[in-house]
């Protein structure tokens, strides 16, 4: 929802509703909207790092690793 609507336009209530959860449960796990946003960003960065590592791990040389890195990133 943050990616689709932007940070300011995304309400925590809407996030909880989309997750079929109560607002209170959301705030049990994340103390604030900024904390929730940071967790979402970190999750995406972790997924990106895993994908980039997987794409480049078996490449035989630097040019092949770079090509795989760019393809995976884009």
């Amino acid at each position: 929802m943050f990616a689709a609507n932007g940070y300011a336009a995304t309400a925590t209530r809407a996030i909880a509703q989309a997750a079929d959860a109560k607002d209170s449960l959301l705030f049990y796990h994340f103390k604030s909207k900024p904390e929730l946003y940071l967790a979402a960003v970190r999750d995406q960065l972790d997924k990106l790092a895993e994908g980039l590592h997987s794409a480049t791990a078996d490449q035989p040389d630097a040019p092949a690793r770079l090509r795989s890195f760019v393809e995976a990133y884009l």
Side-chain angles (χ1 to χ4, degrees):
M1 294 185 87
F2 288 125
N5 304 323
Y7 178 83
T10 301
T12 55
R13 180 170 285 140
I15 293 170
Q17 186 176 15
D20 197 26
K22 295 184 184 265
D23 232 13
S24 58
L25 181 62
L26 185 73
F27 286 109
Y28 175 79
H29 292 283
F30 305 98
K31 302 302 181 213
S32 64
K33 182 178 172 181
E35 188 178 308
L36 172 61
Y37 181 75
L38 181 59
V41 169
R42 285 183 173 156
D43 180 63
Q44 289 303 304
L45 290 174
D46 288 345
K47 288 176 182 174
L48 175 61
E50 288 172 21
L52 293 173
H53 178 72
S54 294
T56 60
D58 295 330
Q59 298 304 320
D61 55 33
R65 281 191 299 278
L66 180 58
R67 188 177 311 106
S68 293
F69 178 93
V70 170
E71 289 172 358
Y73 184 80
L74 295 177

